Amino acid sequence: MPYELDAVIGPFDLLRKATGQVREAVVAPLHRRLGLLPVTRPLLEELAAPPVRDGAGRRFTLLSPGLAQLVGRWSREAPVAYVEASFFGGDGYQTAAVWRSGGMAWGPAHTWDFSGPRHEWPINAALARLGVGVDGPPPTPYHDLFAEVGLARERENDGWLSAGREAAWAAGYDEWQAARLAERERRARAAAESERHRRLPDVPVPLDGRQVMEVLGLPPGPRGGAAVRHLQDLCIERGPLTPAEGVTALRAWAAEHDER
């Protein structure tokens, strides 16, 4: 599958603040408190920063002098990177540059050759200069900051634009992150609840589902499944139960869970 990326990467809250009045600007959240601003033609037109073209009129890069000036201005508060990538069928290139304290501090670096250590690839090298991975172990040949911050999540700028719009409700990175963690916890609880109701294969119980519902006075539904699963867990823990023991165990379980 093809992969295309033209973007400014920096602290999420910084990019949000810097582009707050820019109609075409959309900042998508990444990991490590970073944000990604997709660089699109409408954005460049609004910023009056058209892309550089070669003598034949072809686009050379979206990193125009006007955009570089803006990125430099944003970097007075924190390091900011501009990155480009284009891949198809395993072949492609990366370009990256980093600004700090108002000026370009590194790059532009460009390569078509990805046979060397990953931390030397342009985008990974730029991310390292933004502070990604500084608190981790020394890089290995396979350490990929590109994946660590989530740049593999989308494969083109349209995907990043959608991701940014989905996060537009959040006032800042902390609010977005809190909602993300809350949603992850909700899904984990839902998965645990579903697992608790799931009947285990090849574990017999002394009462079938109909008998369980009759004992507990339950209608068909997940609570009946949870009761059957409870009997299965008891059978695994104690060994086979008689029907009478199953009824006793169910009533004790129901009392504990306010079923009857």
Side-chain angles (χ1 to χ4, degrees), residues 12-194:
F12 179 86
D13 292 337
L14 169 61
L15 295 182
R16 269 286 195 83
K17 181 177 69 172
T19 61
Q21 302 302 315
V22 181
R23 183 173 53 85
E24 294 293 341
V26 178
V27 181
L30 298 172
H31 302 313
R32 298 302 190 97
R33 305 191 66 82
L34 293 176
L36 182 150
L37 172 67
V39 177
T40 63
R41 185 172 300 278
L43 175 65
L44 292 175
E45 290 174 353
E46 183 175 357
L47 295 175
V52 174
R53 295 182 177 275
D54 64 13
R58 295 170 298 191
R59 194 198 88 184
F60 173 65
T61 176
L62 289 182
L63 181 55
S64 65
L67 180 60
Q69 184 177 11
L70 284 172
V71 173
R73 188 185 309 159
W74 300 340
S75 75
R76 292 171 184 167
E77 294 189 34
V80 179
Y82 173 78
V83 300
E84 291 183 3
S86 180
F87 289 89
F88 186 83
D91 296 322
Y93 73 89
Q94 287 185 5
T95 300
V98 175
W99 285 256
R100 184 190 301 271
S101 302
M104 186 179 291
W106 176 82
H110 177 88
T111 191
W112 295 81
D113 180 9
F114 297 93
S115 60
R118 296 191 178 202
H119 67 270
E120 295 179 357
W121 298 357
I123 293 180
N124 281 340
L127 291 171
R129 286 165 172 80
L130 296 186
V132 179
V134 295
D135 54 352
T140 67
Y142 301 103
H143 189 208
D144 196 349
L145 298 182
F146 184 99
E148 184 174 321
V149 302
L151 285 175
R153 192 169 75 237
E154 305 293 343
R155 303 198 65 84
E156 57 183 12
N157 272 1
D158 284 347
W160 290 115
L161 289 170
S162 296
R165 294 185 185 109
E166 289 174 1
W169 61 269
Y173 192 90
D174 287 337
E175 186 174 4
W176 173 81
Q177 178 77 331
R180 176 171 168 267
L181 293 176
E183 175 62 15
R184 181 185 297 175
E185 292 173 0
R186 185 195 66 78
R187 291 181 180 179
R189 289 194 301 269
E193 183 70 9
S194 176

Side-chain angles (χ1 to χ4, degrees), residues 197-214:
H197 294 168
R198 185 178 67 87
R199 183 164 184 164
L200 299 173
D202 303 323
V203 179
V205 289
L207 304 171
D208 61 26
R210 180 183 58 80
Q211 291 170 317
V212 167
M213 289 187 290
E214 288 178 354

